Structures are given as C-alpha cells and as structure tokens.
Amino acid sequence: MIGIHSLTKTFKTATDTVRAVDGVDLQVKEKEFFVLLGLSGSGKTTLLRCVAGLEKPESGEISLGEQIVSSAERGIFIPPEDRAIGMVFQSYAVWPHMTVFQNVAFPLTDGKRRLPRSKVQERVVAALELVQLSAVADRPVPFLSGGQQQRVALARALAVEPRVLLMDEPLSNLDARLREEVREEIRGLAKKLGITVLYVTHDQVEAMALADRIAVMSEGKILQIGAPQVLYHFPLNQSVGEFLGSMNEFAGTVQNESCVKTDLGMVHCAVPNGAPTEVIVAIRPEDLCLSCDPSGSNNEFPARLISQLFLGDITVYYLSANEKKMRGKTTQVDRQLKTGSRVYVRFPAEKLKIFPR
C-alpha cells in the first residue's frame, strides 16, 4: 500500500548538511498498522512528512497503492491534498474557535474535496460516533479534555475516508492512563475500518502495543523491521535491542563457539557464526533467574541484592556482581530475597544475546 524506495531527504544548516532520511526502503502492506520507532532526530517524522507530501525528498520514490506520489527522478510530486491521506498531529491541530462538529467538517467543506452539505453531515456524524464524541458535537473544542481533543483530530482524519492514515506522536501530550486508553481505541478503529496506518513514536511500549510491524530508525536509516515479538527477542544489533527495552550488558571475549569470558566469569551460550572476538553479552531483566541458594547450573554467579522496587504488577531487583550492576524483574514476589543479602543470579543460555562490541 505504501511503497518507499531509496528515499533521501536532507536539510542544510549554516555549516553542515544533515541526511534526515538516508536511502530508506520500506513497504507497508494494505490494512497494516506500521510503526516507525526511534529517538528524537532519528528521521521518523521526516519520513512520515515525506509520505504526507509536507516535505519534498531530493531522491527516491514514494507510492500510495498504484499511484506514484513522489519521484525526484521522474519529476513527480503530488501535493498533500491530492494524496487521499488523513493525518493526526502531535499537537492535535484543532481550531479553538470552532465546535467539535465544525472541526471535523472543515476538510469536507473547505478542502479541495468539498462535499454536498447532506454528505458532510453524514460523514461527520459517522466519524464522531466512531470516536464516541457524538454527545459533544456542538461543544467548543477548548471545553474538551486533551484526550477528547485528540479524538476530534482523529475523527477529522477519518471523515475524509483516507486510503492511508498518518499519525505523528499523537499520544505524547496525554497522561499515562489516558494514553493507554486512546491507544487501544486507535488500534481497534484501524482494524475495524481496515485502514493502512503509518504511525510515528519514540515510545517502545506504545510501538509494541500498536504495531503489526515496527521499523526501528536511527540517524535517518532503518536498523531492523519486524513484528514486535521478533524485534524484542531477536534484535539484529545492540541498538535495536536497547530501543525495544532495557538490557543488562557485559563486555566479553569469545573463547569458542559456546563460551564467552566476562568479568562475571565464563558464560556458556551459542555464539553466532562470524561473531568478532570482542562482544557484548546481553540479557533482558525479566530473563534473569534469582535464588537464595546456588543450583550448580551453568551461568550462575553470586551477587548482592542492593535494593528492590515493588511496582504492583512487577518487582524490580537491583543487583551487584563483581562490581557489575544489573537489574532483574519478576511478576512474583519472593519474600526470601532480602535487601543487602547474598543471592545467586543465573543467565539461561537460550535468553542470552551476543552483539559485536
């Protein structure tokens, strides 16, 4: 549905040229919820704006369905209003002097694709019902909560019946509880309506909760594309692993295909073919195994429990082993694990990740 080939977009400063998007290739399937994930400055929003037609790439090609909407080589550039897209911005971009109904109706009454009044009424009512705002259609937008204003922006994007819905950090201004609620609504609506969605966020939890597939971006490039579970458990490199969640990391030296020497001791695991001698051994906090007594298994090391933090659904353990700090997470509280006591931490071999150092 969205095809991006060798796309490059640069910005010039007084002293330098920045490649915000650097030769990106990407295919988003029809009806897919696709998320661009990365830190600020990674190029994800610039890429989204290129798809929207708000930025003009220097090279490469963008297609929406069968239509090429941007091609520097062929001299094609279709303006945003002719791309049949809907867009939801981080700042909501609602008009404070209008009612909810007027905000949603605006692109249908004043845009390039104007509709008859009866059709506008039908589209707006349907869009407001989708986002559960029918009861406040006549209310001025400033009288709404942040979550309701974001729903207005979403309804306005849906009212034009877009081929593609583009969303740029739409939940970042909401508090944590409301963000989770609206996130579920957006995912449900996208699947119900069968819309193709390209969504930008810097929040890995948000990305994993929403996406069918995620593209992790850094410095204008895509590092890895895959389903959330694949990226989380099988990252191709250290950067992708860290984007998707915290990891305990230890410098190591490969001894053979199944053994790495670290400051903690010898770690037994499968070393990937072609791995360099100097590596990073990494493991997610929830994959650590903690106990008060040694089991005698491989990859088990003595440690000290520095502190523990109860967060309701999980407990986080802060540990120190041979002056190396690490964290463990568990959903079950072990009351035998006492702060300041000696414990044993074990790394299951199948949970370890090996990256070049």
Side-chain angles (χ1 to χ4, degrees):
M1 182 61 190
I2 304 175
I4 299 172
H5 177 64
S6 299
L7 199 73
T8 297
K9 173 62 184 175
T10 61
F11 294 102
K12 293 184 179 179
T13 67
T15 59
D16 199 7
T17 298
V18 178
R19 282 181 171 252
V21 177
D22 191 359
V24 166
D25 288 287
L26 182 63
Q27 296 292 324
V28 179
K29 302 171 188 175
E30 188 171 4
K31 300 182 181 180
E32 185 174 30
F33 203 119
F34 195 98
V35 174
L36 300 174
L37 174 65
L39 300 176
S40 296
S42 63
K44 57 191 187 300
T45 292
T46 300
L47 180 57
L48 187 84
R49 289 174 62 84
C50 287
V51 175
L54 301 175
E55 300 288 353
K56 191 172 184 178
E58 283 81 26
S59 65
E61 193 168 283
I62 303 171
S63 60
L64 299 178
E66 299 299 319
Q67 182 187 22
I68 296 174
V69 296
S70 177
S71 175
E73 290 74 13
R74 303 187 197 187
I76 298 172
F77 186 78
I78 306 298
E81 61 270 21
D82 293 329
R83 296 195 181 192
I85 59 170
M87 188 155 184
V88 181
F89 297 91
Q90 178 179 352
S91 60
Y92 313 150
V94 293
W95 289 280
H97 62 288
M98 294 182 180
T99 65
V100 169
F101 187 97
Q102 291 168 337
N103 263 278
V104 177
F106 186 80
L108 304 176
T109 58
D110 293 73
K112 196 168 183 178
R113 291 171 288 169
R114 297 182 185 180
L115 298 177
R117 182 173 297 180
S118 60
K119 194 69 174 176
V120 171
Q121 176 79 17
E122 179 184 319
R123 289 268 195 99
V124 174
V125 168
L128 290 177
E129 285 179 355
L130 282 172
V131 298
Q132 303 175 31
L133 287 179
S134 300
V136 296
D138 296 325
R139 186 175 299 179
V141 166
F143 294 174
L144 302 181
S145 68
Q148 288 174 317
Q149 289 188 38
Q150 191 57 280
R151 288 189 181 97
V152 172
L154 179 57
R156 184 178 59 203
L158 294 174
V160 301
E161 297 183 352
R163 287 187 295 175
V164 175
L165 181 60
L166 307 177
M167 310 188 80
D168 185 12
E169 303 261 16
L171 308 183
S172 60
N173 292 329
L174 306 181
D175 63 60
R177 184 174 178 179
L178 189 56
R179 192 160 58 236
E180 185 174 341
E181 178 183 323
V182 178
R183 184 174 72 203
E184 292 173 0
E185 291 176 1
I186 289 173
R187 169 82 180 178
L189 276 175
K191 293 305 177 185
K192 178 181 178 181
L193 300 174
I195 296 177
T196 303
V197 180
L198 185 59
Y199 188 104
V200 163
T201 183
H202 65 275
D203 186 323
Q204 73 268 21
V205 174
E206 191 173 297
M208 288 190 285
L210 287 169
D212 295 317
R213 287 191 300 154
I214 298 170
V216 179
M217 291 192 67
S218 179
E219 297 181 348
K221 296 180 181 293
I222 291 178
L223 303 182
Q224 187 176 352
I225 298 173
Q229 299 93 329
V230 173
L231 295 186
Y232 189 82
H233 293 295
F234 306 104
L236 291 180
N237 55 54
Q238 189 177 356
S239 295
V240 173
E242 291 172 345
F243 268 121
L244 272 293
S246 60
M247 295 191 299
N248 298 298
E249 300 174 354
F250 310 94
T253 303
V254 173
Q255 306 298 296
N256 54 50
E257 69 277 359
S258 61
C259 198
V260 179
K261 183 180 180 181
T262 73
D263 289 338
L264 296 181
M266 207 63 73
V267 173
H268 299 269
C269 61
V271 178
N273 291 331
T277 302
E278 302 301 320
V279 296
I280 295 291
V281 178
I283 188 168
R284 300 279 186 199
E286 64 271 22
D287 292 332
L288 293 183
C289 296
L290 291 176
S291 63
C292 295
D293 301 306
S295 65
S297 303
N298 283 338
N299 303 340
E300 186 173 66
F301 309 101
R304 186 169 63 88
L305 179 56
I306 300 172
S307 63
Q308 50 187 299
L309 182 63
F310 177 70
L311 296 175
D313 55 341
I314 63 169
T315 299
V316 181
Y317 296 98
Y318 295 90
L319 305 142
S320 176
N322 198 21
E323 299 185 353
K324 299 295 179 182
K325 299 292 190 343
M326 68 185 86
R327 287 193 299 169
K329 291 181 183 177
T330 179
T331 56
Q332 298 180 347
V333 179
D334 187 340
R335 300 192 181 280
Q336 291 184 313
L337 296 173
K338 303 294 184 182
T339 299
S341 65
R342 181 184 178 91
V343 296
Y344 292 87
V345 58
R346 183 170 61 84
F347 302 160
E350 69 277 8
K351 299 293 186 179
L352 290 167
K353 301 166 179 58
I354 306 296
F355 305 120
R357 198 191 311 179

